[in-house]
Amino acid sequence: MKTFLRIVTILLAGVLVAGAVYLVVQNTYLAADPDGASGLGAPAAFSGDETLTQRQPPSGEGLDLNGGSPGRGLTELLSTAIQLSAISAVVIAAQFLITRLRRRVMRPTPV
Amino acid sequence: MSAKKNLILDITILAAFLVVSDPALTGETIHEWFALAFGAAIVTHLLFHWNWLVTVTKQYFKKLFHQSRLNYVVNALFFIAVTSTILSGLMISKSVLAALGIQLGASQGWRAVHNLSADAALIMLGIHFALHGKWVLTHLKRYIANPIANLFQRGNNPTLATRPVRIDESN
């Protein structure tokens, strides 16, 4: 029961955040671009002149990934892992520097 | 909740994050369903750290260690980023909502939001990981590196192995 209530609390928090994000995105993008000309607002109306293939992104762009590609996928996975490690390394280095600076400041000056 | 279980869950979540942030590897359909499962894993992670969450939330505006406060902000931002990613992913979903019989007809602008929030989640996870770096390294050493090292040492040092001995009464 306790766990169930906790799960409901977390989901409620998620719903609140999602609602807020939805409102912000809809209001911001729709206010900025009500016609959807930049592709950010409401979906652009389908005109009879354009065919379905014209509306699809060219190959290599967007997500045309229904089957998945292990070769490309592993490269991207490695790239994400490197990015994550780099971010962590920068933060750890910053923490290390801050700690050293703090120690230097706290060290009593010799009489 | 033991530290070992925590470590296993955290490694699983990290691996899941790497896979879920790479739709080229799994394909779009698996990416969408896997992202929902990832959301469930995040809920589990929060449940495991519920006590910390409640304690820090209660004491946030009182006197508190700087690191806890920073941790709390980073975790909150990570939660917002993951929630935004899942929401925007659902808005542009082709498989999950279709399987549920829902058609949203949302704009492709949500794709930009999806990419942006996924990048934010990656940055926040990197910071989150770094802030817990000491804990992660200590427990990786304790539960993975040391047992493996012990295995090799035992193999190389036969004198440490127990051997049956025969005891004669005449001696």
Side-chain angles (χ1 to χ4, degrees), chain B residues 52-132:
Chain B
W52 180 88
L53 198 65
V54 171
T55 310
V56 180
T57 306
K58 275 181 186 168
Q59 298 185 341
Y60 189 75
F61 295 105
K62 292 178 190 171
K63 228 177 188 179
L64 197 71
F65 288 120
H66 197 66
Q67 181 101 349
S68 289
R69 204 172 275 239
L70 180 65
N71 256 327
Y72 192 80
V73 172
V74 168
N75 294 347
L77 289 175
F78 182 59
F79 183 74
I80 292 170
V82 169
T83 309
S84 309
T85 312
I86 292 175
L87 172 75
S88 52
L90 282 173
M91 295 300 283
I92 55 172
S93 158
K94 287 175 187 165
S95 309
V96 173
L97 291 187
L100 298 172
I102 301 169
Q103 265 194 328
L104 285 179
S107 74
Q108 285 300 303
W110 280 100
R111 189 175 292 283
V113 176
H114 189 62
N115 292 338
L116 198 71
S117 47
D119 286 346
L122 179 76
I123 294 168
M124 287 303 143
L125 182 65
I127 299 172
H128 178 85
F129 189 70
L131 290 177
H132 295 84

Side-chain angles (χ1 to χ4, degrees), chain A residues 23-103:
Chain A
L23 284 176
V24 167
V25 170
Q26 287 292 339
N27 288 335
T28 311
Y29 283 145
L30 286 178
D33 185 25
D35 302 328
S38 68
L40 294 175
F46 181 77
S47 67
D49 300 336
E50 55 183 350
T51 62
L52 190 62
T53 45
Q54 279 175 309
R55 289 171 68 85
Q56 286 177 339
S59 60
E61 285 178 35
L63 286 175
D64 184 21
L65 305 161
N66 270 324
S69 151
R72 194 181 141 201
L74 282 174
T75 314
E76 282 186 17
L77 189 86
L78 197 69
S79 152
T80 312
I82 290 169
Q83 284 173 1
L84 200 63
S85 310
I87 293 164
S88 298
V90 167
V91 176
I92 288 170
Q95 269 185 318
F96 179 73
L97 279 176
I98 290 169
T99 313
R100 276 195 89 173
L101 279 173
R102 227 182 244 172
R103 265 188 209 155

